[in-house]
Amino acid sequence: ARFRLLCSLLLPALFLSGILCICLVVLLWGVRLWIQRKKQLRSAGRDGKRPLLVAFFHPYCNAGGGGERVLWCAIRTLQKKYRNVTCVVYTGDRDATGEEIVEGAFRRFNIKLIHPVKFVFLEKRFLVEASLYPHFTLLGQSLGSVFLGWEALLKCAPDIYIDSMGYAFTIPLFKYLGGCRVGCYVHYPTISTDMLSVVRNQDTRFNNAAFITSSPLFSKFKLVYYYFFAFMYGLVGSCSDVVMVNSSWTLNHILSLWRVGACTSVVYPPCDVQAFLDIPLEVEKSTSEYSIVSVSQFRPEKDHPLQIRAFAKLLKEKRVGQQPSLKLILIGGCRNQQDEERVNKLKHLCEELGVSDDVVFRINIPFEELKRHLAEATIGLHTMWNEHFGIGVVECMAAGTVILAHNSGGPKLDIVVRHEGRVTGFLAEDEDSYAETMAYIFSLPPEKRLEIRESARRSVHRFSDQHFEDTFLLSVEPLFK
């Protein structure tokens, strides 16, 4: 009797589930056919051929950071190489026109596009805002990106789709529903094995709150959530036809999570090294003040408090002896009110440590002022743990500062490495080692510092615009066959 009751309940449920699955498959197939039909009806160009639409998914294309420089260099590179290509940018920057965005790219990065770009303005960018998901942020933003990607696909169905901002969950949407050839440029993996180890070891970080690290139960729950998300992230990422990563560090994580080594390559981001090469390199003249410059956006992961504490320690212990006075100049961009509040907290930290008179904040400054500060600086400072690449590190080296970066990520594996057997900079990990290394750099004879600066400048040609163009074209070639 129990078996018959179970069958009477189970069989209809299985039948209904099967019918729903078939309806879903038919619906999705119908959507795919409809999208393909829209593509075929696209009007031809002047030469009678239908242009190839290459779309970049970059909801914050007007932000002005390193990721945006990659975007505009990639578009310019494709316009140089392929004549019958129209580049499309999906963006949520509805507070600016397409012309203003292109003008901003030229003003910030000195990148002038060869042909016009088509902008598709998205209305649902709020779905990928971290502030919308105070908990389960990674999952919330990723699911939000799917809905944002769906809006993009409905407004414009491209032939080739490139996610240039790290929204991997949009890739299967464009591949299987949009019928696109798909690629991506990964600046930073959404989740990494390092993030898993932080939770597993119950370390307190900016993305792992103290109330979680203090509770074994919460830590285990978050670890399960991270493993689930890492599995899903690997699943969607493996749908890519072409994967480009910005550093060896990112490569190692993507290979372990996505397992698509055959179509994955390192494409270093284009750094505007040429703009700094006219800064003369010569033995420093005697001066009454030395400056230490940091260049990075005011985001929590950049760890500006570590810079201030290490600098305070350097001054307090009088490690520089009778050297001239020192200034720490923090240069960076503020994107929103949260960043501005972060800067105010940093200023309060300076007051607590008694170094307010020795720390200068320069926010959203023009390029020429940035260049002047770097030209005058002795040390370029960078403190982010596991920085995926480090464009600011490259710029400091190109400008001729002695770089001191974190002993992890891209700086350790790709940038601050020996070149032609010579030292190009220094690495540190904590407050003490940063203070000690800064003291050591200041203790070097000016001629020795000049040798390091010259070696560093020679080494950064690997990260030029031209090198990016060559490796980018080689990587995306399979998408155009």
Side-chain angles (χ1 to χ4, degrees):
R2 290 179 180 176
F3 178 74
R4 286 197 299 272
L5 177 61
L6 183 63
C7 289
S8 65
L9 295 173
L10 189 59
L11 290 176
L14 289 174
F15 179 75
L16 182 60
S17 298
I19 293 295
L20 290 174
C21 286
I22 292 171
C23 290
L24 181 61
V25 169
V26 171
L27 176 63
L28 293 176
W29 185 253
V31 170
R32 179 185 168 95
L33 291 177
W34 174 65
I35 291 173
Q36 296 304 308
R37 180 64 177 164
K38 282 181 67 176
K39 285 186 186 181
Q40 292 170 1
L41 294 175
R42 196 182 298 145
S43 58
R46 294 179 181 177
D47 57 358
K49 296 180 180 179
R50 186 171 63 87
L52 195 68
L53 278 191
V54 181
F56 291 83
F57 191 76
H58 209 105
Y60 296 87
C61 74
N62 202 31
E68 288 66 57
R69 192 169 205 284
V70 171
L71 169 70
W72 301 118
C73 275
I75 291 174
R76 183 181 62 183
T77 301
L78 291 182
Q79 290 180 342
K80 284 182 184 178
K81 171 74 174 179
Y82 299 100
R83 291 185 178 181
N84 196 40
V85 158
T86 298
C87 290
V88 177
V89 177
Y90 298 119
T91 179
D93 293 302
R94 294 187 296 149
D95 57 344
T97 65
E99 292 77 12
E100 289 171 340
I101 293 173
V102 171
E103 174 60 29
F106 177 69
R107 188 176 65 255
R108 294 182 185 117
F109 308 120
N110 197 30
I111 295 174
K112 192 167 184 63
L113 301 180
I114 301 168
H115 305 295
V117 171
K118 178 181 178 182
F119 289 91
V120 176
F121 291 93
L122 307 176
E123 298 176 7
K124 297 182 176 61
R125 190 177 71 177
F126 67 91
L127 293 175
V128 296
E129 294 280 355
S131 58
L132 190 63
Y133 311 99
H135 305 291
F136 301 100
T137 309
L138 295 181
L139 186 60
Q141 286 183 290
S142 297
L143 293 177
S145 72
V146 175
F147 288 99
L148 189 63
W150 176 245
E151 180 191 352
L153 183 58
L154 290 182
K155 287 186 173 180
C156 178
D159 300 295
I160 296 172
Y161 170 78
I162 299 176
D163 165 40
S164 53
M165 207 176 167
Y167 293 107
F169 281 73
T170 63
I171 292 171
L173 179 71
F174 279 84
K175 182 169 186 174
Y176 298 114
L177 278 187
C180 309
R181 284 159 280 172
V182 296
C184 59
Y185 187 95
V186 184
H187 297 274
Y188 196 88
T190 305
I191 191 167
S192 66
T193 52
D194 289 325
M195 291 168 67
L196 292 171
S197 66
V198 164
V199 178
R200 191 186 302 112
N201 298 331
Q202 295 182 246
D203 292 337
T204 301
R205 300 266 180 173
F206 74 91
N207 57 353
N208 196 35
F211 80 90
I212 292 177
T213 59
S214 62
S215 169
L217 179 63
F218 284 164
S219 291
K220 287 177 182 177
F221 179 77
K222 186 170 183 177
L223 190 61
V224 170
Y225 159 57
Y226 266 22
Y227 272 113
F228 167 74
F229 185 84
F231 170 76
M232 294 300 297
Y233 182 61
L235 207 60
V236 297
S238 65
C239 298
S240 302
D241 299 314
V242 165
V243 179
M244 294 166 282
V245 297
N246 67 341
S247 69
S248 301
W249 182 85
T250 307
L251 174 69
N252 294 334
H253 287 285
I254 289 299
L255 289 180
S256 67
L257 292 166
W258 291 11
R259 304 183 187 280
V260 284
C263 63
T264 304
S265 57
V266 177
V267 178
Y268 291 129
C271 304
D272 195 12
V273 297
Q274 196 65 36
F276 298 97
L277 296 184
D278 61 345
I279 296 175
L281 288 188
E282 52 191 24
V283 176
E284 302 154 19
K285 299 173 182 176
S286 58
T287 176
S288 61
E289 182 178 280
Y290 283 139
S291 63
I292 303 164
V293 170
S294 162
V295 182
S296 57
Q297 289 183 318
F298 288 100
R299 303 205 305 260
E301 64 270 22
K302 298 300 183 180
D303 205 354
H304 288 89
L306 174 57
Q307 299 178 6
I308 295 169
R309 288 195 299 269
F311 179 70
K313 195 176 190 69
L314 176 70
L315 295 183
K316 183 179 180 181
E317 299 187 5
K318 302 185 185 302
R319 294 172 183 267
V320 290
Q322 301 302 314
Q323 295 264 8
S325 64
L326 300 177
K327 285 285 184 185
L328 174 61
I329 303 173
L330 302 181
I331 300 174
C334 279
R335 304 161 298 172
N336 48 42
Q337 186 178 350
Q338 288 178 318
D339 286 355
E340 291 172 3
E341 291 171 357
R342 199 168 289 118
V343 169
N344 289 330
K345 289 180 180 178
L346 292 173
K347 290 179 178 178
H348 287 311
L349 177 61
C350 292
E351 291 175 5
E352 291 174 14
L353 297 174
V355 294
S356 294
D357 294 337
D358 304 301
V359 179
V360 179
F361 289 82
R362 303 300 296 142
I363 300 166
N364 297 330
I365 63 175
F367 178 77
E368 287 305 316
E369 185 179 346
L370 164 67
K371 189 174 176 180
R372 178 173 58 80
H373 282 299
L374 287 176
E376 296 171 353
T378 301
I379 295 177
L381 194 60
H382 194 272
T383 49
M384 179 177 170
W385 172 73
N386 272 341
E387 170 73 88
H388 43 297
F389 179 71
I391 289 178
V393 175
V394 174
E395 290 177 344
C396 285
M397 293 168 72
T401 68
V402 179
I403 191 67
L404 174 56
H406 199 281
N407 189 27
S408 63
K412 177 183 180 180
L413 296 176
D414 294 310
I415 305 174
V416 191
V417 296
R418 284 183 172 268
H419 179 69
E420 299 173 348
R422 296 178 180 273
V423 173
T424 59
F426 299 90
L427 300 169
E429 294 182 359
D430 54 26
E431 185 179 318
D432 289 335
S433 59
Y434 269 99
E436 288 170 5
T437 309
M438 283 190 284
Y440 172 73
I441 294 170
F442 283 120
S443 72
L444 292 172
E447 294 79 12
K448 182 61 178 177
R449 282 201 293 267
L450 179 61
E451 286 180 20
I452 297 171
R453 293 159 62 207
E454 288 174 338
S455 297
R457 177 172 280 188
R458 285 195 297 270
S459 75
V460 298
H461 288 288
R462 307 171 283 148
F463 310 118
S464 65
D465 286 3
Q466 186 58 53
H467 189 267
F468 169 82
E469 290 183 8
D470 295 340
T471 52
F472 178 78
L473 287 174
L474 195 63
S475 298
V476 300
E477 189 177 359
L479 299 176
F480 291 85
K481 290 182 178 177

